[in-house]
Amino acid sequence: MGDALPFFGNIIDGVEVEAVDGARMQSVDPYTREPWAEVPLGGQADAQLAIAAARRAFDEGEWPRMGFEKRHAILHRWAALMIEHTDELAMADARDMGKPLAQARHDVARSAWNVRFFADHALVTPAETYPMDSGHHAYSRFDPAGVVTAITPWNFPLMMASWKVSPALAWGNTVVLKPAEDTPTSAVIWARLALEAGMPAGVLNVVHGLGPDSTGQALTESPDVDRITFTGESGTGKIISKAAAGNLIPVSLELGGKGANVVFADADLDNAVSWSIQAIFRNAGQVCLAGSRLYVQREIYNEFLDRFVAAAEAMKLGDPKVEGTEFSVLASKEHFDKVSGYLDTVELDGGKILTGGLGEGWQVRPTVIVNAPADARVCREEIFGPVVVVHPSDTEDEVVALANDTRYVLNAMLFTENLSRAHRVAAKLKAGTVWVNCFFIRDLRAPFGGVGDSGVGREGGSFSREFFTEPKAVVMQISKD
Ligand code: ADP
């Protein structure tokens, strides 16, 4: 039976291969609940082969040495091929995780933009020079760090991979990418396109497998790796951080979130409702940035809630592969069990489900909860699903305190038409990113990341350069006087 399914191999040293021991695993389409593709079930040996290929490509290959312009040309050819293969890439993510096709296509466009942006950024970013009064001249070089391990989650498979891999490659590193086991296929298509674009063998390697005692663990514990960039759960981030400490290498961690979304009475209500819906129900809420705690000022609470619930109920639910579907199923049975488990706690903890609940198959419909006390599990823990808790709020100081009362410090949203309030509250919110009157808009030059249970470090523009390079100071004597 398995032979009938399309196969997406490991890509090691430019060749698409089976796992060393021939083992395979299946990717299940969460909408049909049937396997649709097979990939290698890699292990430690596969990870070691991939690291060795990346090491050779870095230590002896042309990629770190070819210069920014040649790399830029290859990266741009790659981005163009991604756009040409939009449907294939988007369908891979749609089938692997139930992402509606329109959103998956949007992710492909943003992923191609990641590749182009970081290629351009590396090309035009100047090194720093420091003329010195002492008759010396100092300058910085930003040399590639070496071999990068990139471990990515299943919620934005291609987009997260491109967000990490693009700056690493643009700065001249080589990479081993491990996609999440639930969403393995788009990374393979992407790596095939890299070879077609002229990227040398061994520069981008892809290995499939699991985390503990598998490829994930091997890729984070290897002494031949120079950087680890990871996006995933906070608990996994702590394990990976320990592994990185074992080799004293820098690690960048983008972890969970419990984003506050603060709507003031002077907000543009249409705009606030529409972005607040996006903030929690886009990608079925499987977004670390989701606005899962919604605080609405009391004067407009009832009107906002009526409109918000109506918009949630109007979403077009269905097959992710059908045009027009806005909302589908959760990414896996395991994740469906986790999210639906939270729904069971709502009434026990004193809250009420206003709309939503279980849908067909592995679906949790857009769910709105009210009356939940601040210590309810749905208010404190990251659900990572289409579940929002709405609270009325009164003063600015009170809502800032409520918004900041979380272990996750990743992002927040605020809606107001009052310019001074927008800046004042944005400054007070504990967050790596604050969106004012919008959500999810990114400028790739800006820092992205969080602290607390949300991670360590920032990526984006020159923040990615800091992480993926070894800065070196060169000090020259230019005058002997
Ligand atoms: P989820 O399973 O919800 O996607 P995880 O944080 O567990 O969230 O997984 C994100 C990525 O981290 C996946 O690619 C997974 O295989 C990988 N992973 C999980 N555990 C480990 C580990 N101990 N070491 C390295 N990678 C891991």
Side-chain angles (χ1 to χ4, degrees):
M1 176 204 99
D3 287 344
L5 299 176
F7 177 69
F8 297 82
N10 288 337
I11 297 204
I12 299 178
D13 217 2
V15 182
E16 191 163 340
V17 291
E18 295 272 0
V20 171
D21 64 3
R24 288 185 175 192
M25 60 181 174
Q26 294 180 325
S27 176
V28 173
D29 175 334
Y31 186 75
T32 62
R33 287 171 274 156
E34 298 285 342
W36 81 275
E38 287 196 335
V39 298
L41 173 54
Q44 310 222 354
D46 302 279
Q48 300 307 346
L49 284 176
I51 293 168
R55 190 77 263 166
R56 271 195 311 278
F58 186 79
D59 292 342
E60 300 156 26
E62 54 179 324
W63 186 254
R65 297 166 186 86
M66 70 169 59
F68 287 102
E69 286 193 16
K70 281 191 180 160
R71 282 203 296 267
H72 180 267
I74 293 171
L75 292 170
H76 269 258
R77 271 206 296 279
W78 192 21
L81 285 170
M82 290 167 73
I83 297 296
E84 270 175 40
H85 288 76
T86 293
D87 285 345
E88 191 187 351
L89 286 162
M91 191 56 93
D93 280 355
R95 298 213 69 172
D96 273 347
M97 65 156 294
K99 187 188 290 278
L101 256 188
Q103 290 174 36
R105 287 203 189 98
H106 181 263
D107 287 2
V108 176
R110 271 178 76 154
S111 301
W113 174 237
N114 284 339
V115 174
R116 285 197 302 266
F117 169 83
F118 284 107
D120 294 353
H121 183 261
L123 185 66
V124 301
T125 301
E128 286 154 22
T129 62
Y130 322 94
M132 297 169 69
D133 292 346
S134 59
H136 300 80
H137 188 97
Y139 62 90
S140 315
R141 295 178 52 88
F142 292 92
D143 296 321
V147 173
V148 173
T149 282
I151 298 184
T152 49
W154 47 258
N155 60 336
F156 288 93
L158 183 66
M159 201 152 89
M160 283 295 114
S162 61
W163 167 241
K164 296 178 169 307
V165 169
S166 308
L169 293 180
W171 286 101
N173 300 282
T174 59
V175 174
V176 182
L177 166 66
K178 193 196 94 56
E181 48 271 33
D182 285 330
T183 53
T185 62
S186 59
V188 179
I189 301 168
W190 192 45
R192 290 173 187 158
L193 295 177
L195 293 169
E196 196 180 325
M199 194 175 293
V203 172
L204 172 59
N205 306 276
V206 176
V207 276
H208 301 285
L210 309 177
D213 300 319
S214 180
T215 48
Q217 186 174 337
L219 291 175
T220 54
E221 291 183 349
S222 168
D224 289 326
V225 166
D226 301 290
R227 291 288 186 277
I228 301 172
T229 174
F230 168 77
T231 296
E233 286 180 11
S234 304
T236 314
K238 288 176 188 169
I239 296 169
I240 289 178
S241 193
K242 280 188 196 149
N247 292 309
L248 283 179
I249 56 166
V251 60
S252 171
L253 303 173
E254 293 175 5
L255 309 176
K258 190 74 183 172
N261 180 3
V262 178
V263 182
F264 288 100
D266 58 17
D268 171 340
L269 266 199
D270 287 340
N271 187 58
V273 168
S274 131
W275 280 117
S276 300
I277 290 282
Q278 286 294 314
I280 187 62
F281 299 132
R282 183 193 180 86
N283 210 34
Q286 301 164 120
V287 186
C288 53
L289 304 162
S292 51
R293 295 180 296 140
L294 177 52
Y295 299 98
V296 184
Q297 216 167 5
R298 206 173 293 275
E299 294 93 305
I300 57 158
Y301 181 77
N302 288 333
E303 186 185 354
F304 180 94
L305 200 55
D306 286 349
R307 289 211 213 175
F308 183 74
V309 166
E313 289 175 347
M315 291 190 86
K316 196 160 179 316
L317 275 48
D319 186 337
K321 299 177 290 299
V322 168
E323 298 292 342
T325 296
E326 294 173 320
F327 184 100
S328 189
V329 290
L330 296 173
S332 65
K333 167 81 166 67
E334 188 190 357
H335 193 56
F336 168 76
D337 289 343
K338 178 184 162 189
V339 176
S340 52
Y342 274 106
L343 298 187
D344 297 336
T345 70
V346 175
E347 288 194 6
L348 292 173
D349 288 354
K352 181 180 163 204
I353 296 180
L354 211 54
T355 186
L358 301 186
E360 288 279 307
W362 298 340
Q363 183 178 68
V364 169
R365 288 184 290 129
T367 298
V368 181
I369 296 169
V370 292
N371 299 347
D375 60 353
R377 279 162 278 189
V378 288
C379 294
R380 303 216 64 84
E381 296 172 21
E382 184 184 42
I383 299 172
F384 215 65
V387 181
V388 63
V389 194
V390 193
H391 307 270
S393 66
D394 292 300
T395 68
E396 204 176 285
D397 284 348
E398 176 216 15
V399 80
V400 166
L402 288 168
N404 287 345
D405 181 22
T406 171
R407 303 186 316 274
Y408 294 103
V409 182
L410 185 60
N411 67 298
M413 283 68 76
L414 75 100
F415 291 86
T416 177
E417 293 296 297
N418 177 324
L419 182 65
S420 305
R421 168 178 279 154
H423 288 294
R424 191 167 57 236
V425 176
K428 287 183 190 163
L429 286 169
K430 286 202 296 181
T433 300
V434 176
W435 277 291
V436 180
N437 295 334
C438 62
F439 170 71
F440 215 60
I441 310 289
R442 293 279 312 281
D443 185 311
L444 300 184
R445 293 168 296 187
F448 181 81
V451 293
D453 277 6
S454 292
V456 175
R458 297 290 189 277
E459 293 185 31
S462 37
F463 302 90
S464 294
R465 178 185 69 174
E466 294 302 315
F467 183 70
F468 289 114
T469 61
E470 283 299 345
K472 178 189 285 173
V474 179
V475 184
M476 290 185 65
Q477 179 171 275
I478 55 175
S479 149
K480 295 200 172 103
D481 303 337

